[in-house]
Amino acid sequence: MHAPTGPGDLIGRQAELDGIDRFLGLARRHPSGLVLEGEAGIGKTSLWCKGVERARARGFRVLSTRPGGADVQLSFAGVADLLGAMDEQTRERLPPPQRRALAAALLVEDVSDEPLDDRAVSAAFLSVLRVLAEDRTCILAVDDVQWLDAASMRVLDFALRRLEAEPVGILATARTDDRSVRAGELVRTIGEGRAERIELGPLSLGATHELLRWRLDLRLSRPTLVRLHATCGGNPFYALQIGEALRRSGREPVAGEPLPVPRDLGKLVRERLVGLSSRTRTTLLLGAALAEPSVLLLWRATGDPAAVEHDLDEAERAGIVQVLGPVVRFAHPLFASVHYASAPAAERRAAHRRLADVVGSGEERARHLALAAAGPDGAVAGALEEAARGARARGATPMAAQLFEQAVSLTPEDDQAGAQRRRVAAAEAHFASGGTARARDLLESALAEAEPGNERADILYRLGMTTRAVDGARSIRLLQEAAEEAQADDGLRAKVLCGLSHWVYAHHVGMDALERAARSAVELAEHSGDHRTLAVALGQLGGTRFMRDDDVPAELMERAVVLEEESGEPSVDEDGGPAIQYATMLLYAGRLAPARELLERLCERARRTGEAGIAHPLQMLAYLEFYSGRWGRAEAAAREALDVSLQSGRESEEVGARSALGLVLGGRGELDPARRHLERGLAAAERSGRGGRAPRSALAMLELSVGNAEAAWGWLEPAVAFVIPLGVLMLRPEVALAIDVLLELGRVRDAEAILDPFEEAARKRDRPWALAAAMRCRGLALAARDRLPEAESTGERAVELAELSPNRLELPLSLLALGTVQRRLGRKQGARATLGRALASFEDLGARLWAERVRRELGRIGGRVPYEHELSATEESIAELVAEGRSNKQIAAGLHLSVKTVEWNLSKLYRKLGVRSRTELAAALRRG
Ligand SMILES: Nc1ncnc2c1ncn2[C@@H]1O[C@H](COP(=O)(O)OP(=O)(O)O)[C@@H](O)[C@H]1O
Ligand SMILES: [Mg+2]
């Protein structure tokens, strides 16, 4: 999914646009039709306009009409519209009777004394089409064909039946909710094989989110967004209307409160309801109050099956519901919301009271009890709490949050303990499902009421954890206070210390403090016998070890992961358990395959339970796929992570998601969007008190790729300054990048000062990606000191190592470095071959800017520049490997291309060189 470039752009309709392109392609060859169908507001006209635009862009002639409701009566209004732009010359080519008939139909000549001949108009219309289609493809564009006047419909029908091979297309939209038969007629007329129908379905949740962001600049919390999406049934028009009403109201609805329905829309829907008898409206209110209305439940709630049958019948005839066997469905979800929202509060409560007695499940019953209550009620609050716990346990987290909230609001004044417990539980469920701000509000008010000791400690702890992503310093203060307060409870203290040993605090408190906290957490957790906390504590300890020695403490982590699995669902949050920690380490260590497996497993779980925490494993996956060279996947994961993080207000995840997205887009050379994401990511990092290493490194990478080392260092310096003084791990990508940038700036000494320990650490750890990067940088440093022969041999070694590196950018980067040295040594042939491989490999990744850099380097070799006039660099590399007798498979592996790409390039090679076989190719190369 790509961000649209302006408010006029369509969101989430790629498949439909592809359908339009297909149709336009066919219309060029023979009569074709495409009907866009769907309910009002689903986006037919918008799509149709795009179709018209695309047709014009192809140089087609477009005749269009957009009949409004009132036009249905006016004879030939549609034909007049379609032919409105017809010129005099075309008219003159028609036989006189047809010309006259047309003139009458178009009301351009006063011929009112002659009776209007339907058939003559039709024949004339057909002639016009034929004339117009002689030189250009002609598209008849009709928006809302159900409102086309009957006479024009007959004309179209006549003409379309008689077209044979003319390049004429008809692009129409049709409403399905009016049970229009027009669309079907049109399709039959053109011929089933030549016409297609596209039913516009609902926009996805993500597309709706984007629509609200782009059109209204409205950002909703995920739970509200989910409700809005369900209410509008994915209909963009309704989504915009409700979004507008939400924006006007200036706040999101609280639990149990209906979404605001805009007045116009409400009126529109109510107009359909007013004609109904009052009993039918009451029955429908019961239906609207039910999560899943059914005939049976309505029978039970009213105790009168015959009346229900009668009422549903009436509503069905009015087009408000559909009764599908036992199921009652509102024709549009909006009917239910509007009807419900506009009923008086007392009637709504009465409906819920009746329903509470007849629904089965605990949750549904509790919900009705709550909505039936007029004020606080201990029993109802208790039932709600129980239902909420059930919902939470089965992973229906947003539902649980709503139920807990309702429980809080119905708890009687004198039950302080109950209110506290429910507030905390509601906060937990909100946080888990992405309602971060609401979670914090609830905890703040719980904190104000809390008793000193464990209760206060627990709330401080939770508040500290929810605040981590937005305010690191405050989060530490809260957690430290919690640790003090929790002296009496080992288990709780262990949890708090786990929270405190998180790496985000490294630059606040230092590495020693982190490791001490983790170690104490492990001891306390072992003592208290809480396995889950022990798992987390072990994970944290592993994390601090990894930060310190940069060596994956595999045994410790495996133990922690198993322990976590045994104690329930693993957590996917950044703050989560050992599984996510372990994945992070594996990723940093360049062990991509096991990291991917673990991350995909975590994503799958989080998706199942709807956890907003999924943003974290997703953005890690995005990084991983970027380094694996699968940029399409990286982009998809980063975008999903970004969506979730924005919807759930998790700024720390937004930082990661935007950084990964910026890396991919920047890699592809889409500089503006890349910069935008990275700068926003950096701003979010700074807002939440983080260093912004990830966006800074990505920005540096981007500047380096356009040859702006100065700017790159500007971004990178603070990030590196953060890593190095901690004495933490030298083996981070940003450290290698810093060496690159410093070398590019000619600061060889500074570069070597980082390179020396980096290389040493890479050797000690035997980590392929770091070794390869170190060797490449070493070669560059030697070259900078004009020690070219050494630089060459080091560069060759770097290439060998890069072939083993999990980082797919490493190979072309090292080839580029080596090729440059070879050029400076005057080895034209070798330089050309090496740079050719670099080019092919960058191109294969889609790294446009890097590829350009290689091309510039190739251009500096001088002498014959064959790849421009004869063979492309890729072709040349392939040709050389063929000459060496390698198979396609070997070549593909060597150049990191797919076998298909190799085959395709070979066929081009054969053509260009005029050869027919590999042997001939090798011979031709020897000659040339
Ligand atoms: N895919 C989309 N992306 C962005 N906006 C859309 C999209 N589809 C519809 N809209 C907006 O929703 C509203 C209704 O769309 P419209 O095309 O008029 O629907 P229809 O013709 O089916 O009644 C318009 O404001 C339109 O701009
Ligand atoms: Mg329309």
Side-chain angles (χ1 to χ4, degrees):
M1 190 172 61
H2 287 274
T5 52
D9 267 12
L10 291 186
I11 294 162
R13 291 286 188 217
Q14 197 49 52
E16 289 83 355
L17 286 169
D18 291 346
I20 288 184
D21 281 337
R22 239 179 357 256
F23 154 73
L24 292 174
L26 291 175
R28 200 196 277 283
R29 292 202 290 264
H30 52 68
S32 311
L34 177 63
V35 184
L36 308 170
E37 292 179 284
E39 63 181 35
I42 197 72
K44 302 179 297 297
T45 301
S46 310
L47 195 59
W48 177 85
C49 286
K50 278 272 171 264
V52 168
E53 210 173 86
R54 290 193 176 190
R56 293 212 167 102
R58 286 182 183 224
F60 293 1
R61 193 192 312 270
V62 179
L63 311 179
S64 72
T65 177
R66 304 179 61 175
D71 291 351
V72 181
Q73 324 297 342
L74 273 174
S75 283
F76 298 113
V79 170
D81 253 1
L82 288 171
L83 296 183
M86 181 176 53
D87 54 14
E88 202 51 38
Q89 276 164 323
T90 311
R91 196 193 314 273
E92 256 150 36
R93 290 181 55 185
L94 300 177
Q98 288 183 9
R99 210 185 310 160
R100 264 200 310 281
L102 212 50
L106 304 186
L107 303 173
V108 291
E109 275 172 34
D110 185 15
V111 281
S112 48
D113 51 333
E114 288 177 39
L116 206 50
D117 177 0
D118 220 73
R119 242 191 116 75
V121 178
S122 297
F125 184 77
L126 177 60
S127 305
V128 172
L129 280 188
R130 286 188 171 138
V131 171
L132 291 177
E134 265 169 24
D135 60 335
R136 277 202 268 165
T137 306
C138 188
I139 301 294
L140 299 168
V142 185
D143 187 22
D144 282 327
V145 71
Q146 74 278 358
W147 283 331
L148 195 65
D149 62 273
S152 295
M153 192 64 204
R154 283 196 301 276
V155 171
L156 270 187
D157 189 73
F158 177 95
L160 292 176
R161 270 180 211 290
R162 283 161 183 78
L163 289 172
E164 280 154 12
E166 297 83 348
V168 173
I170 175 158
L171 175 65
T173 67
R175 261 165 76 159
T176 37
D177 42 356
D178 285 358
R179 307 214 171 95
S180 154
V181 286
R182 286 280 169 84
E185 277 171 34
L186 264 182
V187 169
R188 264 192 306 283
T189 305
I190 301 162
E192 295 282 354
R194 291 183 159 186
E196 215 196 310
R197 304 163 78 149
I198 296 183
E199 169 93 38
L200 296 194
L203 289 188
S204 67
L205 181 70
T208 304
H209 179 223
E210 211 174 319
L211 177 76
L212 296 173
R213 268 206 340 255
W214 277 89
R215 293 282 293 271
L216 305 179
D217 197 25
L218 182 68
R219 280 151 207 270
L220 298 177
S221 73
R222 193 177 170 86
T224 305
L225 183 70
V226 169
R227 282 180 64 193
L228 183 150
H229 182 250
T231 302
C232 72
N235 182 307
F237 176 72
Y238 298 146
L240 288 167
Q241 296 273 313
I242 299 175
E244 190 52 55
L246 269 172
R247 197 168 64 169
R248 262 202 307 276
S249 83
R251 60 176 189 85
E252 298 195 7
V254 299
E257 189 185 4
L259 282 175
V261 175
R263 210 173 316 127
D264 291 350
L265 197 59
K267 201 167 130 240
L268 211 83
V269 176
R270 272 193 298 275
E271 272 165 12
R272 298 184 79 144
L273 289 157
V274 285
L276 303 174
S277 72
S278 102
R279 198 189 64 197
T280 298
R281 271 184 287 158
T282 307
T283 304
L284 287 181
L285 182 60
L286 287 168
L290 278 163
E292 282 164 8
S294 71
V295 177
L296 189 66
L297 283 174
L298 292 177
W299 284 355
R300 287 213 199 123
T302 57
D304 188 347
V308 167
E309 200 154 316
H310 173 270
D311 296 348
L312 287 178
D313 220 41
E314 185 183 347
E316 195 166 22
R317 266 182 282 118
I320 291 163
V321 297
Q322 289 162 318
V323 182
L324 310 160
V327 176
V328 179
R329 212 175 57 194
F330 281 85
H332 196 284
L334 259 179
F335 292 162
S337 329
V338 171
H339 187 42
Y340 182 83
S342 46
E347 275 179 36
R348 288 207 298 249
R349 280 202 298 274
H352 286 296
R353 217 166 9 252
R354 279 210 247 167
L355 292 171
D357 293 335
V358 298
V359 293
S361 97
E363 264 164 48
E364 175 92 348
R365 197 178 114 79
R367 194 175 75 86
H368 288 299
L369 282 175
L371 293 169
D377 182 325
V380 175
L384 279 165
E385 181 178 355
E386 201 192 313
R389 293 202 188 280
R392 183 71 184 101
R394 69 181 165 82
T397 326
M399 161 74 95
Q402 299 291 318
L403 290 168
F404 278 126
E405 284 262 17
Q406 285 174 320
V408 173
S409 66
L410 293 181
T411 305
E413 289 262 353
D414 56 6
D415 184 9
Q416 258 310 316
Q420 256 330 57
R421 192 178 58 240
R422 287 161 192 162
R423 269 190 210 111
V424 171
E428 190 275 332
H430 273 301
F431 186 61
S433 59
T436 313
R438 181 71 195 139
R440 270 203 307 278
D441 285 352
L442 280 162
L443 288 170
E444 299 276 8
S445 51
L447 186 63
E449 308 278 330
E451 302 281 336
N454 275 353
E455 184 186 340
R456 215 175 111 76
D458 179 56
I459 295 171
L460 281 166
Y461 163 65
R462 289 168 190 270
L463 197 54
M465 299 297 274
T466 9
T467 312
R468 169 178 286 168
V470 283
D471 186 347
R474 170 150 194 252
S475 167
I476 293 183
R477 281 198 306 277
L478 289 162
L479 291 174
Q480 283 170 340
E481 208 184 327
E484 291 291 310
E485 195 86 54
Q487 293 295 352
D489 182 338
D490 282 355
L492 181 54
R493 223 168 110 74
K495 274 196 214 166
V496 176
L497 289 173
C498 280
L500 265 174
S501 57
H502 195 272
W503 68 266
V504 287
Y505 302 134
H507 62 310
H508 289 278
V509 300
M511 287 304 300
D512 289 338
L514 287 197
E515 194 166 340
R516 265 200 313 275
R519 209 180 290 287
S520 316
V522 170
E523 278 167 25
L524 287 165
E526 267 170 352
H527 208 244
S528 73
D530 172 355
H531 283 192
R532 192 162 179 93
T533 307
L534 180 57
V536 176
L538 288 170
Q540 294 295 89
L541 185 60
T544 59
R545 293 243 170 99
F546 180 69
M547 282 181 80
R548 176 150 278 175
D549 331 325
D550 207 14
D551 201 10
V552 181
E555 241 171 80
L556 179 67
M557 293 312 293
E558 304 272 356
R559 182 179 154 214
V561 169
V562 170
L563 209 60
E564 185 187 27
E565 298 251 352
E566 285 170 358
S567 62
E569 287 282 307
S571 157
V572 295
D573 272 323
E574 176 183 22
D575 295 327
I580 197 81
Q581 294 244 25
Y582 192 26
T584 311
M585 293 176 200
L586 291 169
L587 177 58
Y588 272 129
R591 286 162 57 189
L592 302 190
R596 178 186 287 124
E597 200 191 301
L598 197 51
L599 287 172
E600 283 179 344
R601 210 166 70 211
L602 291 170
C603 285
E604 194 189 307
R605 294 218 170 132
R607 209 168 265 128
R608 232 176 27 224
T609 51
E611 304 257 341
I614 194 175
H616 193 67
L618 270 174
Q619 50 117 329
M620 286 178 61
L621 207 52
Y623 266 98
L624 185 150
E625 298 299 8
F626 174 76
Y627 286 118
S628 326
R630 306 203 286 190
W631 291 5
R633 286 178 188 225
E635 182 182 355
R639 286 195 189 277
E640 191 184 346
L642 180 58
D643 273 349
V644 176
S645 67
L646 289 177
Q647 289 159 13
S648 58
R650 296 191 175 203
E651 293 206 325
S652 55
E653 304 303 348
E654 179 186 344
V655 177
R658 288 200 194 272
S659 302
L661 192 52
L663 264 185
V664 179
L665 297 176
R668 287 206 199 111
E670 297 170 30
L671 293 182
D672 289 340
R675 278 209 181 89
R676 207 169 54 233
H677 280 297
L678 294 173
E679 281 163 13
R680 285 191 195 170
L682 185 56
E686 282 167 354
R687 268 201 307 278
S688 55
R690 295 193 167 197
R693 265 188 312 146
R696 282 179 179 282
S697 312
L699 277 160
M701 183 81 189
L702 187 122
E703 294 299 348
L704 190 64
S705 71
V706 294
N708 191 349
E710 202 80 46
W713 184 243
W715 291 122
L716 207 51
E717 194 174 8
V720 174
F722 168 71
V723 176
I724 291 173
L726 277 172
V728 181
L729 59 109
M730 305 294 291
L731 297 181
R732 288 284 159 100
E734 57 268 28
V735 178
L737 189 60
I739 304 171
D740 265 324
V741 172
L742 287 169
L743 285 170
E744 187 98 0
L745 284 170
R747 292 168 56 180
V748 184
R749 257 166 200 280
D750 292 335
E752 283 169 347
I754 307 179
L755 174 56
D756 293 344
F758 184 84
E759 186 179 333
E760 196 190 311
R763 276 187 208 294
K764 211 165 96 203
R765 304 272 167 259
D766 195 18
R767 193 156 297 166
W769 77 263
L771 266 175
M775 212 39 78
R776 173 171 56 80
C777 291
R778 182 64 70 197
L780 288 169
L782 287 165
R785 293 193 175 282
D786 286 326
R787 288 158 60 180
L788 293 178
E790 285 163 87
E792 188 185 23
S793 56
T794 309
E796 282 167 353
R797 176 90 187 99
V799 169
E800 283 167 23
L801 286 167
E803 279 166 351
L804 306 173
S805 171
N807 178 355
R808 288 279 314 274
L809 271 168
E810 197 54 51
L811 181 63
L813 284 173
S814 58
L815 286 164
L816 170 59
L818 176 62
T820 308
V821 171
Q822 288 171 328
R823 175 184 62 74
R824 287 178 60 197
L825 281 167
R827 290 202 227 296
K828 292 188 178 183
Q829 192 74 29
R832 218 173 266 135
T834 308
L835 292 172
R837 270 184 77 194
L839 183 57
S841 170
F842 277 131
E843 281 180 341
D844 205 38
L845 277 172
R848 197 170 60 78
L849 295 172
W850 286 104
E852 268 164 29
R853 250 181 100 151
V854 178
R855 271 194 211 97
R856 278 198 299 278
E857 199 56 44
L858 273 162
R860 288 160 87 177
I861 296 177
R864 199 175 69 103
V865 189
Y867 53 90
E868 273 192 359
H869 308 295
E870 296 168 17
L871 303 187
S872 74
T874 312
E875 289 163 357
E876 194 168 46
S877 314
I878 292 177
E880 271 165 26
L881 292 170
V882 169
E884 284 173 18
R886 311 255 194 114
S887 72
N888 284 2
K889 219 163 145 185
Q890 288 167 330
I891 297 174
L895 297 181
H896 283 290
L897 299 170
S898 66
V899 174
K900 274 222 155 29
T901 311
V902 172
E903 286 167 356
W904 178 66
N905 274 291
L906 259 181
S907 69
K908 285 197 300 181
L909 264 173
Y910 285 3
R911 212 167 47 241
K912 286 187 184 174
L913 299 178
V915 298
R916 282 186 311 254
S917 68
R918 300 171 95 85
T919 342
E920 284 185 30
L921 177 67
L925 281 182
R926 277 195 298 276
R927 275 198 309 277

